[in-house]
Amino acid sequence: MTPGFTGGTLDRADALRHDAEALAAKLADARVLALDGLMPAVAADGQLAWIARDAVPADAELVLLGLDAQGRAHAAVLPAAGEEGTAPAMRSPALMAVLAALQPGEAATYATARSLLDWHARHRFCARCGATTHAFRAGWGRLCDACGTEHFPRVDPVVIMIAEHDGRALLGRGKGWPEGRYSALAGFLEPGESIEEAVAREIGEEAGVRVGQVRYVASQPWPFPSSLMIACVGVAEDDAITLDTNELEDAMWVPREMVRAVLAGEAGPFLPPPPYAIAHTLLTVWAAEPAAG
Amino acid sequence: MTPGFTGGTLDRADALRHDAEALAAKLADARVLALDGLMPAVAADGQLAWIARDAVPADAELVLLGLDAQGRAHAAVLPAAGEEGTAPAMRSPALMAVLAALQPGEAATYATARSLLDWHARHRFCARCGATTHAFRAGWGRLCDACGTEHFPRVDPVVIMIAEHDGRALLGRGKGWPEGRYSALAGFLEPGESIEEAVAREIGEEAGVRVGQVRYVASQPWPFPSSLMIACVGVAEDDAITLDTNELEDAMWVPREMVRAVLAGEAGPFLPPPPYAIAHTLLTVWAAEPAAG
């Protein structure tokens, strides 16, 4: 059960980011990711579409995505000043349709590029002193033009989890979700807490359920705009639900056999999360476990 | 085996961050964390030292750390403009000595405060437009005075791991480490990769060892300045080491019985990581496993 947005095949070639000369040589004939804004172009075989280095302006700034098995550089064009959006780039139904046509490892490469480009677009200034910054390290950071502070792309850890109790999983539905959709609960991990503590806090805040032991299941990058999704199961101490209606519209306990049936495509009390979301991976792994929790 | 900097007992009380009136009432008689810069004061019983709200200036900005079991607010004073450091606040031997005197849950509360205050000090300006920002949501974010962009504290996921092969663990030593110290390898997780992919990439980059399966072990917050440490074991496909001497000074395979002996205080080929570091947790968990990997 491979989570969505994983399995990319490019070698990130970290050493090249620190070697300006070698980097320039590699980028001179790089393949450049074909994008319309942040939307990818998909070739007929489910691969990402790439264009030649000389098909983009000579002064375009490139971020090195990595090297393929033949050692050939793959890159993406950094957005120019003025191209930044006013808000983080979130997912759209149109993008999800495009992603469904991509081979899994290709979606991983796209996710990397998307998170990086969005970060550059929204981090042109130094958070420490307010001056302008410029890209460095092959696009894997920005350096302040005034105070020299180094800034690196954000990755925001998010815990996503079910509680389990007596062979049932706690699923919730957020406001504005598609009709019938229920999924794992989720929230940003905060400074000063472990994954296990964040899982317990979020389940407590959103559903009023106390969990004791927490076990890790899987992770995935989620490029909307830059999350690391960390999927877990928390063992509930009892099954009383007290909804935080600011967070959730509803929550319910679903027996393991029912989760299994819904994932297998049968009709049930909820519509499952989409396959590229790690909630799908989480439910699939949990549904396949022997009845213990 | 509880990792360092976990086990804090304050309720973060997320709802209060969104309710200005209730927050003001709670903060009016908050206990305020006693700090000298970012250094904590420790009371005789191994608790953090706190001072009364009216012992700090009325116009001091407070970040809400949380509520204790009696519902009493605990807070910390945000650094004033001009108090920011030029670099992230890293650990010092003096701080580590102080932390060793703190009860574990207290170190967790301190870690939360420290990461937040350091973030505020180094993020006074809007990364999107360069204008000034101000704290909002009880100190759990900053809002741009010009473009209105919301900024939230960073948490940077770091993978920290051993490779295992034939009952031995791969340990490395970084440049400038105390003599004899070996520990787990570590590195920042990057945009577009899962935890498992970051573990494999880092072990490959630093030691030239290929790992297949990766298993999660534990996590901890690491407030130097704002990491989430994610400890894992990667199963190595063979044991040939190719050092990246920019990253590591040395690396070696250590048999499980030897790791066990060193952790038990016996003399061996390396000095173990300090107990508050999750590398210590990781080695302890691995050393106690039945000989399988």
Side-chain angles (χ1 to χ4, degrees), chain B residues 72-252:
Chain B
R72 187 153 170 185
H74 288 57
V77 177
L78 289 185
E83 285 181 17
E84 56 267 32
T86 52
M90 303 308 278
R91 67 187 159 136
S92 66
L95 174 63
M96 286 331 213
V98 173
L99 286 178
L102 271 183
Q103 293 190 12
E106 296 287 284
T109 298
Y110 170 70
T112 303
R114 180 186 172 91
S115 281
L116 269 177
L117 299 185
D118 181 66
W119 178 75
H120 280 283
R122 293 184 300 111
H123 291 79
R124 297 199 176 281
F125 296 87
C126 177
R128 197 172 81 76
C129 80
T132 55
T133 59
H134 64 275
F136 80 134
R137 291 207 189 158
W140 288 84
R142 296 187 72 85
L143 196 59
C144 179
D145 298 323
C147 74
T149 297
E150 298 179 341
H151 300 278
F152 297 102
R154 284 183 76 117
V155 175
D156 299 310
V158 170
V159 289
I160 177 163
M161 58 266 152
I162 54 172
E164 70 176 4
H165 189 268
D166 199 15
R168 297 168 303 161
L170 180 69
L171 301 181
R173 72 175 262 111
K175 292 175 177 175
W177 284 16
E179 197 181 330
R181 169 74 51 78
Y182 281 74
S183 189
L185 310 185
F188 287 100
L189 182 142
E190 296 188 344
E193 62 187 359
S194 67
I195 292 170
E196 292 74 10
E197 289 173 329
V199 165
R201 176 182 55 74
E202 284 286 343
I203 297 176
E205 281 176 9
E206 297 193 4
V209 172
R210 286 166 54 113
V211 306
Q213 219 188 326
V214 171
R215 61 181 188 273
Y216 170 89
V217 173
S219 67
Q220 77 172 165
W222 187 247
F224 308 108
S226 58
S227 292
L228 169 69
M229 308 300 293
I230 304 170
C232 296
V233 176
V235 180
E237 292 175 356
D238 67 67
D239 64 358
I241 294 173
T242 309
L243 272 194
D244 175 356
T245 52
N246 290 314
E247 296 275 351
L248 293 180
E249 190 179 286
D250 191 25
M252 62 180 175

Side-chain angles (χ1 to χ4, degrees), chain B residues 20-30:
Chain B
E21 205 171 319
L23 176 66
K26 280 289 186 190
L27 288 181
D29 67 345

Side-chain angles (χ1 to χ4, degrees), chain A:
Chain A
M1 188 70 210
T2 308
F5 298 116
T6 66
T9 55
L10 295 179
D11 169 3
R12 289 169 179 246
D14 177 68
L16 269 184
R17 303 178 193 167
H18 302 266
D19 183 341
E21 203 170 322
L23 176 67
K26 280 289 186 189
L27 287 181
D29 67 344
R31 304 177 71 196
V32 178
L33 186 63
L35 287 175
D36 175 11
L38 282 177
M39 288 285 279
V42 181
D45 55 357
Q47 308 282 318
L48 289 164
W50 302 84
I51 54 181
R53 172 66 184 91
D54 55 16
V56 298
D59 63 352
E61 274 196 294
L62 298 179
V63 52
L64 176 70
L65 298 175
L67 306 180
D68 65 16
Q70 288 75 46
R72 186 153 172 187
H74 288 58
V77 177
L78 289 185
E83 284 182 18
E84 57 266 34
T86 53
M90 305 306 279
R91 68 189 157 133
S92 65
L95 174 62
M96 287 329 212
V98 172
L99 287 177
L102 271 183
Q103 293 190 12
E106 295 288 284
T109 298
Y110 170 69
T112 303
R114 179 184 173 94
S115 281
L116 270 178
L117 299 185
D118 180 66
W119 177 76
H120 280 281
R122 293 185 302 113
H123 292 77
R124 297 200 175 279
F125 296 87
C126 177
R128 197 172 83 75
C129 79
T132 54
T133 60
H134 64 273
F136 80 133
R137 290 208 191 158
W140 287 84
R142 299 186 70 85
L143 196 59
C144 178
D145 297 323
C147 73
T149 297
E150 298 179 340
H151 300 277
F152 297 102
R154 284 183 76 118
V155 175
D156 300 311
V158 170
V159 288
I160 177 163
M161 58 267 152
I162 54 172
E164 70 177 3
H165 189 269
D166 199 17
R168 297 168 303 161
L170 180 69
L171 302 181
R173 71 176 262 110
K175 292 175 178 176
W177 284 15
E179 198 180 331
R181 168 74 51 80
Y182 280 74
S183 188
L185 310 186
F188 286 100
L189 183 141
E190 296 189 344
E193 61 186 1
S194 68
I195 291 170
E196 292 74 10
E197 290 173 329
V199 165
R201 177 182 55 74
E202 284 286 345
I203 296 177
E205 282 176 8
E206 296 193 4
V209 171
R210 285 165 54 111
V211 306
Q213 218 187 328
V214 171
R215 62 181 188 273
Y216 169 89
V217 173
S219 69
Q220 77 171 166
W222 186 248
F224 309 108
S226 58
S227 294
L228 169 69
M229 309 300 293
I230 304 169
C232 296
V233 176
V235 179
E237 293 175 356
D238 66 65
D239 64 358
I241 295 174
T242 308
L243 271 195
D244 175 357
T245 52
N246 290 313
E247 295 276 351
L248 293 181
E249 191 178 284
D250 191 26
M252 62 180 176
W253 293 98
V254 183
R256 183 173 264 114
E257 318 80 68
M258 182 58 78
V259 172
R260 217 176 275 161
V262 165
L263 290 172
E266 296 174 31
F270 71 102
L271 295 178
Y276 47 80
I278 201 161
H280 195 278
T281 311
L282 173 59
L283 289 181
T284 302
V285 169
W286 182 80
E289 286 177 1

